[in-house]
Amino acid sequence: MLKFDRELFVQALNEGALGKRGELERVVDEISGKGFSNIFLIGSGGTVAMMYPFEYIFKSYSALPVRAEIAAELLVTDNRQLTSKSVCIFASVTGTTKETVAAAQFCREKGATTIGLVGIPGTPLAEAVDYAITFGREKHAFDVFYLQLQILTTRFLQQNGEFPQYEQFAAELAALPQGMVAAMEEFDARAEAFAIKHRETDYHMLVGAGNLWGNTYSYAMCILEEMQWIKSKSIHAAEFFHGTLELVEKDTSVILFKGEDATRPLVERVERFAENITKELFIIDTKDYALPGISEEFRKLVDLNVNWALTSRISAYLERERNHPLEIRRYYRKMEY
């Protein structure tokens, strides 16, 4: 596969997330033992998008008050729910995202308990939080963060008496990296064909819901817009029929992210509509991939990992076909704004 090191990928997830299970559990157990009133999942850009699936999972399983927040917005609003009894979880690959670091400092000043998932130790975010979970690399950081957040989320649920399956789920996560690799290998030819066909396409609609809404938003914003300078729109499947449907034409690129949680029928409704209008419908369905070692009841908790891994294959081929390295920026971190 183009620009993919299977051993490095599996090693990153095993060392950065699965190998951190004990540390993550100790953090959750200590915080739960002291008691807390609510949880804030805080990030900027791609990292706040990363938090949306876990807000959704908490809402699906728990009575705990949990909310995903954009770091910069949190800083300028007087959120009365943020108190010394809050738990605030942050993520940053580099540990230097200004808004996220400032939000961590802000929450800590409020007396909240802060947890930071950070690629690089010794960076500002790692220094700003009460508990820093670091793994020493940037490569595959989002894949690592997803696994870390799954352990944190389900451990909080277990400690709150809402996820008795935790031990089984956490044990099964050990099989996920290999399952993701197998899915990527199976999807790779489709990813390459998509990139070749759409190398000049200047606009894409991306549709998702539930666990995959964060990925939908993130792929449109972070990959297509920021890293490839392609105009895109992320649309929640539940809202697609309130405006956006009128823009679909026979050559409109519509990309559907189909997951396995309760919102799947919402995406299928968009699929039924789009397949009758556009000839450029592309569907990424996590249900198409076997994931050996993952129980059926847990697939809806890991579809986000699989979806993100699959989209990374599209990114690799878009970079090649468009001769546009993913690292190039015109404005982001290039100028003051």
Side-chain angles (χ1 to χ4, degrees), residues 211-223:
N211 278 357
L212 299 189
W213 168 240
N215 285 9
T216 309
Y217 174 56
S218 184
Y219 199 76
M221 169 186 60
C222 292
I223 308 300

Side-chain angles (χ1 to χ4, degrees), residues 272-309:
R272 290 192 298 271
F273 168 83
E275 65 187 2
N276 288 317
I277 307 297
T278 180
K279 66 181 189 305
E280 300 298 345
L281 176 62
F282 188 79
I283 301 170
I284 302 176
D285 187 351
T286 61
K287 215 168 190 177
D288 292 339
Y289 303 94
L291 303 183
I294 304 296
S295 298
E296 185 65 28
E297 67 173 310
F298 298 141
R299 287 184 61 97
K300 64 184 178 182
L301 294 175
V302 300
D303 55 1
L304 61 150
N305 310 66
V306 178
N307 172 273
W308 189 254

Side-chain angles (χ1 to χ4, degrees), residues 10 24 29 42-43 54 89 94 97 100 117 132 141 179 183 207 239 248 258 284 297 302 308 318:
V10 173
L24 292 161
D29 294 353
I42 303 167
F54 300 96
I89 303 175
T94 65
T97 309
T100 304
L117 309 180
V207 183
E239 288 290 283
V248 180
K258 289 180 72 173
I284 302 176
E297 67 173 310
V302 300
W308 189 254
L318 280 176

Side-chain angles (χ1 to χ4, degrees), residues 66-193:
V66 179
R67 182 171 177 81
E69 292 280 354
I70 300 170
E73 183 176 39
L74 185 69
L75 288 166
V76 297
T77 55
D78 184 20
N79 193 317
R80 303 296 296 274
Q81 297 174 15
L82 177 61
T83 71
S84 60
K85 296 292 288 181
S86 298
V87 176
C88 300
I89 303 175
F90 305 85
S92 173
V93 177
T94 65
T96 62
T97 309
K98 291 181 180 179
E99 300 93 338
T100 304
V101 173
Q105 295 167 338
F106 175 77
C107 293
R108 202 170 182 182
E109 288 169 4
K110 291 274 190 179
T113 300
T114 53
I115 304 170
L117 309 180
V118 190
I120 308 301
T123 49
L125 181 60
E127 299 296 324
V129 296
D130 298 305
Y131 301 96
I133 312 297
T134 63
F135 51 95
R137 69 177 77 195
E138 296 182 26
K139 186 75 171 175
H140 303 306
F142 269 49
D143 298 284
V144 170
F145 286 157
Y146 276 137
L147 275 170
Q148 291 178 338
L149 284 163
Q150 274 154 329
I151 294 170
L152 283 172
T153 296
T154 53
R155 186 68 170 191
F156 271 119
L157 291 173
Q158 183 210 38
Q159 289 294 306
N160 204 46
E162 295 167 320
F163 193 69
Q165 314 98 305
Y166 173 78
E167 293 297 338
Q168 180 187 350
F169 174 68
E172 289 189 15
L173 284 179
L176 188 58
Q178 294 289 354
M180 291 166 66
V181 169
M184 283 188 278
E185 291 174 341
E186 185 177 344
F187 179 72
D188 197 64
R190 286 190 67 207
E192 182 175 20

Side-chain angles (χ1 to χ4, degrees), residues 230-251:
I230 300 172
K231 295 179 177 66
S232 65
K233 179 176 174 63
S234 52
I235 310 110
H236 196 290
E239 288 290 283
F240 182 87
F241 294 97
H242 298 275
T244 306
L245 80 166
E246 292 295 340
L247 298 180
V248 180
E249 299 178 336
K250 64 180 181 179
D251 60 349

